[in-house]
Amino acid sequence: MALMITDECINCDVCEPECPNDAIYLGEAYYEIDPHKCTECVGHFDEPQCVQICPVACIPVNPEFVENRETLMQKYLRLQAEKGL
């Protein structure tokens, strides 16, 4: 399951630097999450860092990208390989 940022986002800028996969970026109106890069921090942390730090709790699971932990780990490994790590 990738995460998503809802329109309740206040653009406080705290989530973007916390993302270890660089999946969070500033969209037209508010921050967004690239579901192809989001691993819910699997491979990096025990819990999604953006969810932990968000002051308005506007980062739910994206229902269009339902993935289990194994799939998220495979995505993490692919992203690391693409970075050359």
Side-chain angles (χ1 to χ4, degrees), residues 4-79:
M4 61 185 280
I5 298 175
T6 67
D7 60 3
E8 296 168 337
C9 176
I10 60 172
N11 292 327
C12 67
D13 302 321
V14 298
C15 62
E16 183 184 26
E18 295 299 315
C19 182
N21 295 321
D22 299 322
I24 299 175
Y25 61 95
L26 185 56
E28 287 187 34
Y30 51 88
Y31 279 92
E32 298 181 24
I33 296 178
D34 180 345
H36 302 292
K37 291 183 176 180
C38 178
T39 63
E40 293 186 41
C41 290
V42 168
H44 296 282
F45 301 101
D46 292 333
E47 296 182 35
Q49 299 301 288
C50 60
V51 173
Q52 296 298 311
I53 200 163
C54 181
V56 293
C58 67
I59 307 177
V61 170
N62 186 333
E64 295 181 21
F65 290 89
V66 177
E67 301 165 303
N68 61 29
R69 189 163 181 84
E70 181 180 321
T71 302
L72 291 170
M73 180 56 83
Q74 291 172 358
K75 187 189 304 186
Y76 161 78
L77 294 172
R78 177 183 53 80
L79 290 169

